[in-house]
Amino acid sequence: MKISYSWLKNYIKTDIKPEEVAQLLTDTGLEVEGFEKIQTVKGGLEGLVIGEVLTKTKHPDADRLNVTTVNVGGQEPLQIVCGAANVAVGQKVVVATVGTTLYNGEESFQIKKSKIRGEVSEGMICAEDEIGLGNSHDGIMVLNADAKIGSLAKEYFKIEDDFVFEIGLTPNRTDATSHIGVARDLAAALNIKNPTTIVRPSVDAFKVDNVNLTIPVEVLDTERCPRYTGITLSGIEVKDSPDWLKNKLLAIGLKPINNIVDVTNFVLHETGQPLHAFDADKIAGKKVIVKTVADQTLFTTLDDKERKLSATDLMICNTNEPMCIAGVFGGAKSGVNNSTKNIFLESAYFNPVSVRKTAKFHGLNTDASFRYERGADPNITVYALKRAILLMQEVAGGKVSSEIIDVYPKPIQDFNVELAYSTCDKLIGEKLDRAIIKKILLSLDIKIVNETAESLMLQIPPFKADVQRDVDVVEEILRVFGYNNIKLPDLMSSALVYRPSVDKDKIINTLSDLLVSQGFNEILSNSLTKSSYYQEKDSLVKLLNPLSSELDVMRQTLLFNGLETIVYNQNRKSPNIKFFEIGKTYTKQSDKFVENSFVGIFISGNYAQENWSVNKSATNFFHLKGYVQTILEKFGLAEANFLFNQESDSLFNYALTYQLNDKELVKLGKVSTKIQKQFDITNEVFYAQINLDNFIKLASKTKIQYKEIGKYPSVRRDLALLIDKQINYHQLEKLAYKQEKRLLKQVNLFDVYEGKNLEEGKKSYAVSFVFQDDEKTLTDVQIDKTMERLIQVFNTELGAKLR
């Protein structure tokens, strides 16, 4: 939320510097995330002066150019070549003198003394778009005759430098969604040392001129619309806003539209109360009805988009059709334009939950919905209406043509809270002066209705929606008093906390470090995803109020988030992927919700980066299996059994599952071709998901023991074995270690052959075996006997034969 420093000073008299204001606001809980000096017109019109055209003659060598002399208050007039058709003697104009820098968006150029077709030109007579004061380029700007020659253009147009605070407003601060709200907090903080109050603009001048355009209001849904206030203004002239109003809006990043709309925006950012102006002549039946409409009703909003309404959307309607989505966005048919002469002005209080659901359903986020969602002030609607009417009469003329219509069947009352001083002292940790406490409360518009030596009975206004308990009041006192002003106690108390036996963080960090050392990058993605990714809908954890249809459920797997990231990188010419994510998944089981932790590992593209010394090769399933095997060995889980499934499922074309003690540790495989097509991913993607909950439980029970490197030489023997195709390497490896536990140190499959010269249904494995004795040098006799036993057991158990 943007707050203008100069605008803020309209409501609070203070000379403190903008930097000090930023610090004070942050200390009171309105964190200033950004702070910058701005100019409502880029360049601040520096170097531009007011001049008078003295002479005008045709350029001797150009039909469309004129040679003029212009008095800018200097000793001699300036000769300026001008191409505008409307330039004339006696005009007061804006002149950019030599050395002035003019801006066109992000581009700029400097005015230099030059020759144009042989004639000297010592400046430039400007059009409004050339100096950032408008969009017209029909000709030069012609000023009023009373403009003073030689005066600065920035003074003539009242261009002022300003400072803007970017405030990170938290959802609970409904009281600070406006300049007056921020001024209230600032005044409360300053008032502790120096008497400071805020001054709200007076609306005493408001009066009803006639009742010739009374438009009755009927509220059919008082739950969604507890209060609705309206009034009419007739005989207005819709046109550009005056400079002061434009500058206020430009300072906070709003684009001026016209004087009526600009006033509604001004009052919204001044008071925090959203307003909406309807063209009164477009209200069919001359009646406003606040209600919901039938589901799937079509409605065109101000951005000319046709939207399908929900049956729960509150609408502002005439007798024939909807005109506006209440508290969110106006309609295209009833809006104010240059031909509007009469308006109906709305100032209402809508249910925050209703507005939030409607805004999210339609994917809209407007200044009005931003405030209504948090909870506007239900008791400020009439004041904001009067303030807007007075400003509109000032900038657009017109007469108030109806009484104020105020539908408020059940007024929202103040919250009653009793604050015990003892509670305040206990929570703050320091006994504050009772006079300071009362001063802070009154500065925040909290009323003290009764007082004793021990406590205060308070009435909290509804605009402080989050202050409903005594602890909330203490928080209000403390943030204004200043957390930094609370003294630290001399004695600090602490308790010993014993670390649990399973250090989850250590296991996770070790796992992360291992993957990073293997060349992986870690990603962090949103736990929210879209339901269309999943075939089975019943087990999805659905959001009651989703941000959008793209983020309507909690994820059940890390796979789809990873694939989105792969697409993002693929589209940016970075197809070689090695990354992982540690996160949670969410599933609905019967009437309960289950949360699990997983590690997702992704590889795709080339195995190694392109290099003259490395052959280009694509990643494959066995690369991923190798990474998984390294992880299992690192944590002492290499004995896990695995099951290979060649049949495709909803996620994989084929997959391998590691289990230990009947608990699934890892599942890895090639991502389903169907899913890849859905994401438009060209390279094959291989994915592994580690069940982190099971992994941590099992890893915490293993003890890794390190041994000294053997002193005696190792011996290698190779076998070429002919085995059935259904036999896998893991079976052979497991059998070998079972047969020779002491001497066998390593088994490795270094070649696989299937094809000619082999029996049908057979394949050939070339396997190496490494033996080593920790106590002595092995002899050929020992090795040969061991190899004979291995060959025998391979033949007996697996039907393997030597080739």
Side-chain angles (χ1 to χ4, degrees), residues 358-417:
T358 296
K360 300 307 178 189
F361 177 78
H362 293 290
L364 293 169
N365 181 22
T366 61
D367 283 337
S369 67
F370 176 83
R371 285 153 180 82
Y372 279 130
E373 286 176 18
R374 285 157 172 76
D377 184 357
N379 297 326
I380 202 178
T381 58
V382 173
Y383 171 82
L385 202 67
K386 291 180 177 179
R387 171 68 170 153
I389 287 293
L390 290 172
L391 287 172
M392 287 179 182
Q393 288 181 308
E394 178 184 333
V395 300
K399 294 184 179 296
V400 178
S401 298
S402 74
E403 297 287 350
I404 292 177
I405 299 168
D406 190 12
V407 182
Y408 199 13
K410 295 180 181 179
I412 298 172
Q413 304 298 325
D414 292 346
F415 310 119
N416 292 314
V417 175

Side-chain angles (χ1 to χ4, degrees), residues 84-139:
N86 67 326
V87 65
V89 174
Q91 290 175 337
K92 297 291 180 65
V93 294
V94 180
V95 178
T97 55
V98 172
T100 299
T101 299
L102 298 181
Y103 297 87
N104 180 19
E106 297 301 318
E107 299 178 357
S108 63
F109 65 94
Q110 190 177 56
I111 302 298
K112 298 177 180 179
K113 184 176 180 179
S114 60
K115 283 189 176 183
I116 301 176
R117 297 285 184 93
E119 294 293 328
V120 174
S121 185
E122 300 175 293
M124 182 172 112
I125 304 176
C126 302
E128 65 178 42
D129 66 327
E130 293 169 332
I131 57 176
L133 292 178
N135 299 315
S136 174
H137 195 72
D138 294 337

Side-chain angles (χ1 to χ4, degrees), residues 223-234:
E223 182 180 349
R224 290 184 173 87
C225 179
R227 188 176 192 182
Y228 193 93
T229 310
I231 197 170
T232 60
L233 187 66
S234 62

Side-chain angles (χ1 to χ4, degrees), residues 557-680:
T557 174
L558 303 182
L559 174 62
F560 299 122
N561 300 77
L563 294 179
E564 289 174 351
T565 308
I566 289 174
V567 171
Y568 182 88
N569 283 269
Q570 175 185 283
N571 293 342
R572 285 155 182 79
K573 309 299 181 183
S574 182
N576 302 327
I577 300 297
K578 286 176 69 176
F579 59 68
F580 70 97
E581 179 175 13
I582 300 173
K584 294 183 180 293
T585 63
Y586 310 86
T587 308
K588 182 181 179 182
Q589 296 180 358
S590 299
D591 58 345
K592 65 177 182 179
F593 299 100
V594 178
E595 180 179 298
N596 297 111
S597 296
F598 283 89
V599 180
I601 305 173
F602 301 81
I603 61 171
S604 182
N606 291 329
Y607 180 66
Q609 296 295 328
E610 188 175 5
N611 191 283
W612 66 272
S613 63
V614 178
N615 293 328
K616 183 178 178 180
S617 63
T619 54
N620 58 47
F621 171 81
F622 296 100
H623 291 140
L624 181 60
K625 181 175 178 291
Y627 293 128
V628 170
Q629 196 67 38
T630 300
I631 293 170
L632 296 177
E633 290 174 359
K634 173 69 176 180
F635 289 90
L637 302 174
E639 295 181 359
N641 299 315
F642 63 76
L643 174 66
F644 185 70
N645 184 8
Q646 288 184 309
E647 296 182 3
S648 62
D649 57 22
S650 60
L651 299 182
F652 298 101
N653 279 354
Y654 52 82
L656 183 69
T657 303
Y658 284 86
Q659 291 182 334
L660 188 62
N661 299 338
D662 296 325
K663 292 183 177 180
E664 183 178 302
L665 277 177
V666 190
K667 186 173 183 179
L668 66 148
K670 179 186 177 300
V671 174
S672 164
T673 305
K674 181 180 178 182
I675 292 177
Q676 285 200 204
K677 286 182 179 178
Q678 181 182 344
F679 282 83
D680 196 25

Side-chain angles (χ1 to χ4, degrees), residues 443-463:
S443 295
L444 295 175
D445 290 342
I446 296 175
K447 301 173 186 175
I448 301 173
V449 295
N450 191 29
E451 179 181 358
T452 68
E454 292 78 26
S455 66
L456 297 172
M457 181 57 71
L458 307 172
Q459 279 188 347
I460 314 295
F463 66 77

Side-chain angles (χ1 to χ4, degrees), residues 175 179-189 198 200 443-445 463:
D175 59 316
H179 282 76
I180 288 178
V182 173
R184 182 193 298 115
D185 269 19
L186 182 60
I198 62 170
R200 293 176 176 82
S443 295
L444 295 175
D445 290 342
F463 66 77

